[in-house]
Amino acid sequence: MDLDGRHGMASTRRYLSSLGLPERDLGELPASAKRFPDGAQFRVEIPSVEGPEPLRAVLGAAKEHDIRVHRISQGSGMMLLTDAEIAEMVALGREHDVEVCLFVGPRASWDTGVQVTAASGGVAAGVLRGADQLVYGIEDVVRGCELGVRSVLVGDIGQLWVLGRMQRTGDLPPDLEFKASISFPTANPATARLLEDLGITTINLPTDLSLAQVAAIRRAVDVPLDVYVEGADDFGGVVRYYEVPDLVRIAAPVHLKFTVRNAPGLYPSGGHLGELAVATARERVRRAAIGLAMLDRYYREAVASP
């Protein structure tokens, strides 16, 4: 029985196809021919690097494990870093050719509202509530750019729209990268396309998407996808090391992200969590080394950025 036809689903699938979107999840897991500008399929990102000392720990651990880290990201927000700390992180990134991506500070999860604390309200964690919070969020980006930041995490669609217009008018640097936060749920091809159209240059995917779902999103957009190989407990705690070869093959260009399960939360971070931030930063790099070893074992021809 043609259930698609009986219920009119075939027409909807054809319409999605006419928009350049896949009409179904790609269970055949097609290889992606898309690449980073340097021709690479994958890069390595270490998330939750909350300041200069954790960044130094990442750089030291990467040397110890003989792996290349291409990008680090931070979750506590630029507003909780001093000017000197931001400038130091930017300088370390330039010295070691590591992209330093910092989160916008204000967001609903730390605001005065209560919806985000409710069982069904967590989806609003990254939004900016009201015009004042939007101003604060934009000011965080402007300040970061003045200190040399050229990569920011964004979790609010309105803020992204404004930032894109500011970039086009020359009020933000032309080389500023916009990374969609994992708290900005991008769970289907249409949402990914919308973000790409609004100027997002790299997209964090939810931690729990199947390979077929990831492949469908990849077909819809050209920007890099950021995929957690291991996710934090508060985002579901997925562990998918044996999928690394397929993730690189189907999702390229892709940032492979490694955090650690069974670890206390770091946000918002500070000196009171300094030892934990450094220890978990080092362990994330160790986890990345495990993932890259898996990739070398099962997909040795995969191409990494230098």
Side-chain angles (χ1 to χ4, degrees):
M1 180 181 294
D2 181 7
L3 293 179
D4 274 7
R6 190 182 75 177
H7 295 292
M9 203 176 294
S11 177
T12 298
R13 294 191 190 278
R14 286 194 298 270
Y15 185 74
L16 289 178
S17 183
S18 76
L19 297 176
L21 300 175
E23 57 184 46
R24 62 180 67 245
D25 293 329
L26 304 183
E28 68 274 22
L29 303 183
S32 170
K34 299 174 183 179
R35 299 291 185 266
F36 285 102
D38 60 7
Q41 292 170 278
F42 75 95
R43 295 176 180 174
V44 172
E45 176 181 341
I46 304 298
S48 302
V49 180
E50 299 304 296
E53 288 306 314
L55 177 50
R56 286 197 185 89
V58 165
L59 296 171
K63 184 176 181 180
E64 176 185 337
H65 292 284
D66 192 26
I67 67 170
R68 170 79 162 96
V69 172
H70 301 87
R71 179 166 72 189
I72 64 94
S73 52
Q74 174 251 14
S76 296
M78 288 178 280
M79 72 177 186
L80 293 180
L81 291 170
T82 67
D83 287 4
E85 288 169 335
I86 292 175
E88 187 174 355
M89 293 182 76
V90 168
L92 285 169
R94 288 175 178 165
E95 179 183 352
H96 296 275
D97 192 23
V98 174
E99 178 184 340
V100 175
C101 185
L102 305 183
F103 210 155
V104 174
R107 45 194 186 266
S109 53
W110 301 345
D111 196 3
T112 57
V114 296
Q115 175 180 316
V116 73
T117 66
S120 298
V123 70
V127 305
L128 301 175
R129 298 174 63 255
D132 285 346
Q133 286 290 328
L134 177 59
V135 170
Y136 304 156
I138 294 168
E139 281 293 301
D140 222 28
V141 175
V142 170
R143 170 180 172 244
C145 289
E146 290 173 349
L147 294 167
V149 173
R150 290 297 180 268
S151 182
V152 294
L153 272 156
V154 181
D156 183 278
I157 196 166
Q159 183 189 26
L160 173 61
W161 181 77
V162 173
L163 294 176
R165 288 178 176 267
M166 291 177 69
Q167 190 177 47
R168 289 196 293 275
T169 58
D171 295 297
L172 289 175
D175 58 344
L176 180 62
E177 300 284 337
F178 297 117
K179 173 178 166 70
S181 166
I182 193 171
S183 60
F184 198 155
T186 309
N188 65 69
T191 302
R193 175 70 65 79
L194 172 63
L195 294 183
E196 186 178 55
D197 288 348
L198 287 173
I200 278 292
T201 55
T202 179
I203 299 175
N204 258 313
L205 296 186
T207 64
D208 61 348
L209 295 185
S210 69
L211 291 173
Q213 292 167 335
V214 172
I217 291 174
R218 165 45 68 218
R219 178 165 291 182
V221 296
D222 294 329
V223 297
L225 302 178
D226 308 335
V227 180
Y228 277 90
V229 175
E230 182 171 352
D233 292 320
D234 55 354
F235 280 103
V238 299
V239 179
R240 52 196 312 180
Y241 286 86
Y242 272 100
E243 290 185 316
V244 167
D246 277 332
L247 285 170
V248 170
R249 187 176 60 83
I250 68 171
V254 61
H255 287 96
L256 299 174
K257 300 185 62 173
F258 300 86
T259 186
V260 287
R261 290 201 61 178
N262 195 32
L266 288 174
Y267 306 154
S269 193
H272 61 303
L273 297 173
E275 292 184 4
L276 177 64
V278 168
T280 53
R282 291 186 58 83
E283 182 58 24
R284 290 186 192 95
V285 177
R286 176 179 170 273
R287 297 289 226 272
I290 292 171
L292 294 180
M294 194 78 72
L295 183 61
D296 184 63
R297 180 180 179 88
Y298 296 109
Y299 188 18
R300 184 163 295 177
E301 61 271 31
V303 179
S305 287

